[in-house]
Amino acid sequence: MIRSFAALGLPLCLAAPAASQTAGTAQAARFGARESVQQISLSPDGNHLAVVQPDAGRGAVLMIADLVKGGAMKGILRSSGKPDRLTGCHWASNSRIVCDIFMIQQDAVKLAFTRMVSLNLDGSDLKILTAANSPRSLGVAQSGGEIIDWGPEGSNGSLVMTRDFIPENTTGTHLASSREGLGVELVDATTLRRKTLEQPKGSAVEYISDGHGNVRVMGLRPERTSGYSGDTINYFYRLAGERDWKDLGALKVGGGLSAGFNPYAVDKTANLVYGFDRVDGRRALFSIALDGSLKRTMVLSHPQVDVDRLIRVGRQQRVVGASFATEKRQVEFFDPELQRLRNALGKALPGKPLVTFVDASADEGKLLMFAGSDNDPGTYYLYDKANKKLEEVLTSRPQLANLALASVKPVTFPAADGTPIPGYLTLPAGSDGKNLPAIVMPHGGPGSRDEWGFDWLAQFFAARGFAVLQPNFRGSSGYGDAWFRKNGFQSWRTAIGDVNDGGRWLIGQGIARADRLAIMGWSYGGYAALQSSVLDPDLFKAIVAIAPVTDLETLREEARSYVNFPQVDAFIGRGDHVREGSPARNANRIKAPVLLFHGDQDLNVGVGESRLMAGKLREAGGKAEFVEFDGLDHQLDDSAARATLLSRADQFLRVAFKLEP
């Protein structure tokens, strides 16, 4: 039985469009609205939900839903987004909630900071959970801590969290602390009482617990003499019930692909750690025994793609399966009960094959789940095992209700050298798929890939009559080392060649008209959109680039003040590809009109890269428009900004292609 909590009634991000707005502007407002559920969690007793939803402007609000009283909602905590951002909230107990706050501060360089707060179910007794600095502290911790465990049995309301210890000035006092580095504390979320579980270590970067309050794995990453991060993380483990550390193995990082065992989760009952390593050039899931034998077992691999996700449920975050993405994402459950439930849900929720377990009550008697598809943005459900009831809780994008959304079809097309390139084709609902204006939309990363499912960008342009092709070009992750190559910057000719071949395929199939073919991308996708015309100036007739990399040397220099500079430096590499593969250095080859978008607080790709690109295009006599968003970072997490982006891009393409508004 499926029942809806009608009382939840979350407010939408945007008001209904005014009648005077064009159809494109109205649709841009709907598709650009942020998801109504940005993060959601279930209380230990299963009686309440904590939901982070968009608030006015770029803000967010924490809403509490009382499931016992029909789902009545109450807002108890807000952030403005200027600069504080509420990013996620979880339950320390049935009456106490812990939330993460993110902000960007501008000093000599832009720095991201996080802080953690706790508050009661009714919003009272708000406290800063992150350890406060002493007036003698010789610095400020950027990280406000990370919850790695909800503590040992019986520690209701406590949590195990990391802490960056900052040393203190010792001048004139014997009371100053010299402790420095990442440690672990057991913290009471109400009283703020703290107990150090792991003394800080200067090179520590990671701790993994067993879900019951015991830290079993530690990662140390020694610095270079320059102060930058090293390329190796040395992992150590403990025998059950002991304190001494033993060698687990080393993980090489930097330059794109890691090498070695990367631990993710400890199973206390089985006394092992799950993690990923490579087999025959692809990522696979392994377990290693923590009993001293270090017995290594392959748990799951796939011959074509990487196994890349663990499936975990419950407050102990126990591992119940793993997943990988071929044409569509697939899950292999290790837990027979959840596999049976997943099969039953497939029948109860036809047309929503993308099912994920989001959270669970402490006894796992109630499960919070999400289900969606390519043309369904998704719905959150609560499943009660005792009465076998599945109740609808919240929809992800209520703004898109009653709109006919497009289906997404997995496709392959041939690259110039004959290699089949996988991707996804989205055609306007009801279209015959012929002679359409079309967009090739390469993904970001480049160490990423597109998957089958709902995509608000592709769906908006399909609703506006465009065909959209999303290629997983060589340089994408998920298909193994050989496909990733040296990454999409160092191997840009192959990656961008595949992207361009996708455009040629659209024309050759009769899907796109040659005079109405555009390219659009975000981040690396924006780079690919610009660089595509450096490689073939006549293929695309319009270019839209969002937060793009435009100069590889500039991207390198942006990282120089950060500890990961050596890894960024190695990822970009040295050689002729830096000049040849930088669109800003080859702006004179770009013939098509260009529209750029960028937030001025972008930490991933500096806004200066779009400013540089716009200037270089104009110097070369090209057509360039640039929209800069004040106070936003790489994700442009603002409904009004996203609506502006969609509306302006739609208008830009319609002018370029001489289409009706």
Side-chain angles (χ1 to χ4, degrees):
M1 172 181 147
I2 299 178
R3 179 173 66 84
S4 175
F5 282 123
L8 286 179
L10 289 174
L12 301 186
C13 302
L14 297 172
S20 61
Q21 288 181 310
T22 66
T25 304
Q27 285 179 313
R30 285 184 165 188
F31 283 92
R34 293 176 290 166
E35 290 177 285
S36 63
V37 179
Q38 297 189 313
Q39 187 263 333
I40 187 170
S41 60
L42 182 66
S43 62
D45 60 10
N47 292 334
H48 291 86
L49 288 173
V51 186
V52 178
Q53 69 163 117
D55 201 12
R58 59 197 61 170
V61 58
L62 170 61
M63 305 290 290
I64 302 299
D66 188 334
L67 302 179
V68 176
K69 297 181 179 178
M73 299 286 288
K74 178 183 178 182
I76 66 168
L77 183 65
R78 278 183 162 82
S79 65
S80 67
K82 303 177 183 179
D84 56 302
R85 308 175 199 184
L86 182 61
T87 57
C89 297
H90 299 274
W91 298 84
S93 68
N94 291 322
S95 60
R96 193 75 177 169
I97 303 169
V98 176
C99 294
D100 291 308
I101 309 294
F102 172 86
M103 63 194 73
I104 297 173
Q105 297 286 352
Q106 178 70 60
D107 197 2
V109 295
K110 290 187 179 73
L111 291 175
F113 288 84
T114 62
R115 290 295 180 264
M116 201 175 292
V117 300
S118 67
L119 68 166
N120 286 333
L121 182 64
D122 60 2
S124 64
D125 194 28
L126 177 67
K127 293 178 178 177
I128 298 177
L129 197 61
T130 298
N133 281 345
S134 157
R136 296 187 297 271
S137 295
L138 296 175
V140 178
Q142 281 184 251
S143 171
E146 177 186 354
I147 298 171
I148 62 172
D149 199 326
W150 292 108
E153 286 81 0
S155 63
N156 188 35
S158 294
L159 49 97
V160 179
M161 62 183 288
T162 60
R163 173 182 172 182
D164 272 336
F165 286 80
I166 306 297
E168 298 174 351
N169 186 346
T170 59
T171 303
T173 179
H174 295 289
L175 301 177
S177 172
S178 61
R179 294 191 296 175
E180 181 176 10
L182 190 69
V184 179
E185 295 182 318
L186 178 67
V187 184
D188 188 296
T190 302
T191 66
L192 305 187
R193 285 194 299 267
R194 322 180 80 87
K195 176 184 177 183
T196 300
L197 300 181
E198 301 294 333
Q199 292 294 336
K201 294 177 175 60
S203 60
V205 292
E206 186 177 8
Y207 294 95
I208 303 174
S209 79
D210 63 0
H212 298 267
N214 306 300
V215 177
R216 295 291 304 279
V217 174
M218 172 181 67
L220 303 182
R221 186 174 186 173
E223 291 183 347
R224 301 166 186 245
T225 55
S226 61
Y228 289 125
S229 295
D231 288 336
T232 301
I233 302 177
N234 298 307
Y235 282 102
F236 303 86
Y237 78 100
R238 283 185 174 127
L239 296 172
E242 296 190 8
R243 295 292 298 171
D244 293 336
W245 291 108
K246 298 178 178 293
D247 288 336
L248 180 61
L251 176 70
K252 298 290 185 180
V253 296
L257 294 172
S258 61
F261 180 72
N262 190 356
Y264 268 66
V266 171
D267 185 316
K268 179 183 178 182
T269 303
N271 196 24
L272 55 80
V273 58
Y274 288 101
F276 296 97
D277 204 343
R278 288 184 149 72
V279 174
D280 298 327
R282 292 185 177 84
R283 204 177 187 206
L285 179 65
F286 289 84
S287 68
I288 295 180
L290 299 181
D291 59 2
S293 69
L294 293 182
K295 180 183 177 182
R296 181 182 171 108
T297 304
M298 182 189 289
V299 179
L300 182 65
S301 65
H302 192 278
Q304 281 85 41
V305 297
D306 294 340
V307 177
D308 55 4
R309 293 184 190 175
L310 282 181
I311 309 301
R312 307 174 71 176
V313 299
R315 288 185 65 80
Q316 281 73 44
Q317 283 290 283
R318 66 186 183 96
V319 175
V320 296
S323 74
F324 51 85
T326 50
E327 287 187 342
K328 299 179 181 179
R329 182 154 289 275
Q330 301 176 53
V331 177
E332 295 282 344
F333 282 103
F334 313 145
D335 185 302
E337 180 186 9
L338 287 177
Q339 181 61 56
R340 289 191 294 271
L341 175 58
R342 175 65 186 85
N343 294 338
L345 288 171
K347 298 176 182 178
L349 300 170
K352 295 184 178 183
L354 298 178
V355 177
T356 56
F357 295 97
V358 178
D359 205 355
S361 58
D363 61 2
E364 296 186 24
K366 294 180 180 179
L367 296 173
L368 181 64
M369 301 178 303
F370 173 87
S373 72
D374 56 338
N375 56 9
D376 186 329
T379 301
Y380 291 87
Y381 297 90
L382 188 66
Y383 179 71
D384 190 322
K385 291 182 181 179
N387 56 30
K388 297 183 178 180
K389 286 185 178 180
L390 184 67
E391 301 173 320
E392 181 179 319
V393 177
L394 291 166
T395 57
S396 176
R397 292 182 179 269
Q399 301 88 349
L400 301 182
N402 303 318
L403 285 182
L405 299 176
S407 296
V408 180
K409 178 184 177 182
V411 296
T412 59
F413 59 87
D417 62 3
T419 301
I421 307 299
Y424 299 93
L425 178 65
T426 305
L427 298 175
S431 164
D432 64 1
K434 298 298 181 183
N435 297 314
L436 297 169
I439 302 170
V440 176
M441 192 177 288
H443 60 73
S448 181
R449 60 158 290 178
D450 275 316
E451 293 188 27
W452 185 86
F454 179 84
D455 184 306
W456 62 277
L457 273 174
Q459 286 288 344
F460 168 76
F461 285 103
R464 298 295 293 147
F466 292 84
V468 179
L469 175 66
Q470 297 170 278
N472 281 326
F473 46 86
R474 283 170 287 185
S476 303
S477 62
Y479 295 91
D481 300 356
W483 195 265
F484 185 77
R485 305 224 156 184
K486 290 183 180 179
N487 74 57
F489 289 129
Q490 296 193 43
S491 301
W492 75 265
R493 289 187 182 276
T494 300
I496 305 304
D498 291 351
V499 170
N500 287 0
D501 288 336
R504 296 186 187 98
W505 178 79
L506 287 172
I507 296 170
Q509 295 292 306
I511 297 169
R513 285 178 42 169
D515 61 342
R516 290 181 175 175
L517 181 64
I519 185 166
M520 176 180 186
W522 200 313
S523 194
Y524 179 87
Y527 164 85
L530 294 163
Q531 191 66 8
S532 67
S533 286
V534 174
L535 198 60
D536 186 345
D538 298 314
L539 180 60
F540 296 106
K541 310 307 180 186
I543 300 168
V544 180
I546 308 162
V549 172
T550 69
D551 184 80
L552 297 183
E553 202 58 62
T554 298
L555 183 66
R556 189 197 319 275
E557 288 306 308
E558 287 173 5
R560 190 171 291 277
S561 298
Y562 299 91
V563 295
N564 67 335
F565 173 72
Q567 290 73 42
V568 174
D569 182 45
F571 190 81
I572 294 170
R574 306 277 175 169
D576 291 342
H577 73 275
V578 174
R579 172 181 50 82
E580 296 168 354
S582 295
R585 299 188 183 204
N586 298 278
N588 61 322
R589 291 186 55 80
I590 299 176
K591 297 179 181 179
V594 175
L595 174 60
L596 299 156
F597 297 94
H598 219 126
D600 69 356
Q601 296 300 306
D602 196 327
L603 292 175
N604 297 59
V605 182
V607 66
E609 299 217 30
S610 282
R611 294 170 181 167
L612 173 67
M613 191 73 220
K616 291 294 185 181
L617 286 167
R618 291 163 185 158
E619 287 177 13
K623 296 179 180 178
E625 300 177 36
F626 177 33
V627 179
E628 185 171 313
F629 294 106
D630 179 47
L632 292 179
D633 64 10
H634 198 64
Q635 287 70 37
L636 301 180
D637 193 16
D638 179 301
S639 297
R642 291 185 176 186
T644 296
L645 183 156
L646 294 179
S647 180
R648 287 288 298 270
D650 179 59
Q651 293 167 16
F652 173 77
L653 296 179
R654 289 182 182 281
V655 169
F657 296 162
K658 297 181 173 59
L659 299 174
E660 293 293 326

